[in-house]
Amino acid sequence: IMINQMADCVEHGVKQKVQEIDDEITYQGAIRKNIANTLERYVCKDEKFPMTDDLISQSWTNEQNQWSTHIKHDRPSSQIHVIENFITDDECNSDTQAPQLQQRALHYANHILGIGLEAGGQENLIKTLYNQDNIHQYNTFHCDGDCTGAQHQVGARVATLIMYCSNGPIVNFRNAGVRVRPDKGNAIFVSYMNTNTMQMDSGFTEYSACPPEEGGTKLLIQHIRFGVDEEKPWNMFHSL
């Protein structure tokens, strides 16, 4: 009986301690987001606001070509990279080159994530002009996939490549403390799944773009999903 009472006491103490830790994590997270919200007011208004330094700079070779990559944020469930000269003027202006661009995006995602992403069944490449007509779509903080820390659902998104056909405004990942001003031809790669645990990001990849300059910013966007193929394409799944 005494042993059982001691076990019950220890179990209660452990549960209480875990709850205290969870509460502290939630509290610290709320503080971090409040600070980020305050900082956001200045990011888009101050042209001299500093961009985020690289954690690592390295190169990636594919198709006998080499690209310089800049790692801005690197966590098991979230990564943010900038790839220089990822897209050419011809690729920006030609629909016939979309397949090779999609393939390059998938190759980079597989290079980073290493989970055998299938080319078949992926979402179509999105071409859009970010301007005053659709400013709320990009100027509002959002995640491209699930960013609640849940487990990955089969067929859901795990990464995004945003490719710039003109100089872009600042992109602010407020919870990661990352700010990027993409140049024409560059791409921003964002992944949001831990490939070991299949757990999704918990908010670090939430982002928004500052208002576009006059004339807008031409973008190509490729969302990448895990668990899709030719027989089970992306539109068979309801989750992002």
Side-chain angles (χ1 to χ4, degrees), residues 51-102:
M51 298 299 100
T52 302
D53 292 333
D54 296 348
L55 297 176
I56 307 170
S57 296
Q58 55 193 27
S59 61
W60 172 60
T61 302
N62 184 57
E63 302 170 350
Q64 297 182 335
N65 294 310
Q66 191 172 78
W67 288 268
S68 296
T69 64
H70 305 271
I71 315 303
K72 302 293 184 178
H73 172 85
D74 185 15
R75 290 175 59 89
S77 296
S78 54
Q79 298 188 60
I80 303 168
H81 303 176
V82 175
I83 313 168
E84 289 186 31
N85 301 315
F86 188 84
I87 184 171
T88 66
D89 286 341
D90 286 344
E91 289 168 332
C92 283
N93 298 320
S94 172
D95 291 334
T96 61
Q97 298 197 46
Q100 77 174 34
L101 192 56
Q102 288 178 294

Side-chain angles (χ1 to χ4, degrees), residues 123-142:
E123 296 183 47
N124 294 329
L125 186 70
I126 298 171
K127 290 190 174 185
T128 187
L129 180 66
Y130 172 40
N131 56 25
Q132 293 299 323
D133 293 336
N134 59 7
I135 189 169
H136 295 295
Q137 183 177 351
Y138 299 99
N139 189 232
T140 303
F141 277 102
H142 64 284

Side-chain angles (χ1 to χ4, degrees), residues 209-222:
C210 291
E213 297 181 2
E214 186 176 353
T217 301
K218 186 177 180 181
L219 304 172
L220 276 73
I221 303 171
Q222 182 66 58

